[in-house]
Amino acid sequence: MLVDSHCHLDGAAFDADREEVISRARQAGVSYMLAIGTGDGPPDLEAAIRIADRHDDIAATVGVHPHDAAKFDAAAAARVEALCDHPRVLAVGEIGLDYHYDNSPREVQRRVFVRQMEIAASRRKPISIHTRDAWDDTLDLLGSHWAGNGIGGIMHCFTGDSAQALRCLEMGFLLSFSGVLTFARSEDLRTTARWTPMDRVLVETDSPYLTPAPHRAIRRNEPRFVVETARMLASVKGVAFEDVALQTSANFRGLFNLAS
């Protein structure tokens, strides 16, 4: 009944038991997973596609993470564009800006972000957005290069404030809540989730990162734990868990025009 809208199934953390992790997710009620295809960056941009090709209930994205923006060149742009035509690729992502680690120069990040939005728009693919300590620039670039094209996208692992949430919603994005929603310190985020319309929310794990409560002692997150985020979302909204599962799944499928 649930969709994990963002998981890094290609990560080395899953090398020893990837198929078992996928099986456990299905057993927990996860009906679909979106595997993020940024991997270790160019030149290999097919990390998620290799997994999605083996599983009908897993789709892929393709893109260059802001950490790897310095690796982005004409060949990488051409490869992202070509892979958008792969039948298992639903979106371009995760793309955006990360000023927390600054693994790539900020100006390079901005340029690569804009170029990937251009590619996604040309292929009519939604985008999955990463932003950390870069909200102003992220929203400004989205406003200038994405808003109004009618394609939409996902604000991955949304942790912004209410004003930032409103701007994202106005630009047609869905807000995807991760295990951070369950953290004790996340009361402000829960307030934002409470008023966000039900038809504009998703849930995700960002696994192997951000393990939700009550499993924080388990260092490696897995797609099966998206259940805990959905439970928290149901609690803060005062609705049944089943309603959250059905609505977030419908929101995901609607964004990507997938059959029910």
Side-chain angles (χ1 to χ4, degrees):
M1 292 175 61
L2 280 166
V3 173
D4 183 352
S5 71
H6 195 108
C7 51
H8 295 272
L9 290 173
D10 66 291
F14 297 125
D15 283 352
D17 62 346
R18 185 169 290 106
E19 294 304 315
E20 290 85 351
V21 166
I22 293 169
S23 178
R24 285 195 289 270
R26 292 168 179 152
Q27 292 168 13
V30 180
S31 63
Y32 208 81
M33 291 162 265
L34 185 58
I36 303 305
T38 49
D40 293 324
D44 181 15
L45 296 173
E46 299 178 57
I49 294 173
R50 288 191 289 271
I51 297 171
D53 275 342
R54 300 197 302 270
H55 300 279
D56 290 342
D57 54 356
I58 299 175
T61 71
V62 62
V64 176
H65 193 284
H67 288 340
D68 297 313
K71 302 178 185 178
F72 190 90
D73 56 14
R79 192 63 182 145
V80 170
E81 191 166 14
L83 289 173
C84 281
D85 293 330
H86 190 286
R88 304 298 295 159
V89 170
L90 296 185
V92 173
E94 61 188 279
I95 61 174
L97 304 173
D98 193 308
Y99 293 173
H100 182 79
Y101 289 108
D102 281 326
N103 287 351
S104 290
R106 294 182 181 185
E107 180 53 40
V108 174
Q109 291 188 47
R110 291 190 287 268
R111 175 174 52 80
V112 171
F113 183 23
V114 170
R115 181 69 185 101
Q116 291 189 97
M117 283 192 280
E118 292 171 348
I119 292 170
S122 73
R123 289 295 188 266
R124 303 298 294 178
K125 294 286 185 182
I127 51 178
S128 179
I129 298 300
H130 172 107
T131 183
R132 188 167 185 186
D133 295 347
W135 270 107
D136 287 347
D137 281 357
T138 298
L139 292 173
D140 286 348
L141 290 174
L142 288 171
S144 299
H145 298 278
W146 192 259
N149 65 19
I151 301 172
I154 300 171
M155 298 304 298
H156 144 63
C157 191
F158 183 83
T159 54
D161 61 28
S162 293
Q164 291 156 347
L166 185 58
R167 285 193 66 186
C168 293
L169 294 172
E170 289 172 345
M171 288 190 285
F173 283 90
L174 302 180
L175 306 187
S176 184
F177 294 99
S178 70
V180 176
L181 191 70
T182 73
F183 295 178
R185 59 177 170 80
S186 296
E187 191 55 44
D188 288 347
L189 183 62
R190 286 188 284 273
T191 297
T192 299
R194 187 172 295 117
W195 65 255
T196 302
M198 277 284 285
D199 63 352
R200 304 296 297 280
V201 295
L202 298 172
V203 288
E204 65 169 84
T205 57
D206 198 21
S207 52
Y209 316 108
L210 302 176
T211 307
H215 305 294
R216 295 290 291 150
I218 301 174
R219 298 301 298 273
R220 186 188 73 170
N221 198 4
E222 294 186 18
R224 64 184 168 124
F225 292 144
V226 74
V227 171
E228 304 301 342
T229 300
R231 284 175 176 153
M232 178 59 73
L233 186 58
S235 176
V236 300
K237 284 188 163 297
V239 300
F241 168 83
E242 291 78 8
D243 292 339
V244 166
L246 289 170
Q247 185 65 62
T248 55
S249 296
N251 295 345
F252 181 90
R253 295 182 183 279
L255 175 64
F256 296 113
N257 297 312
L258 299 175
S260 300

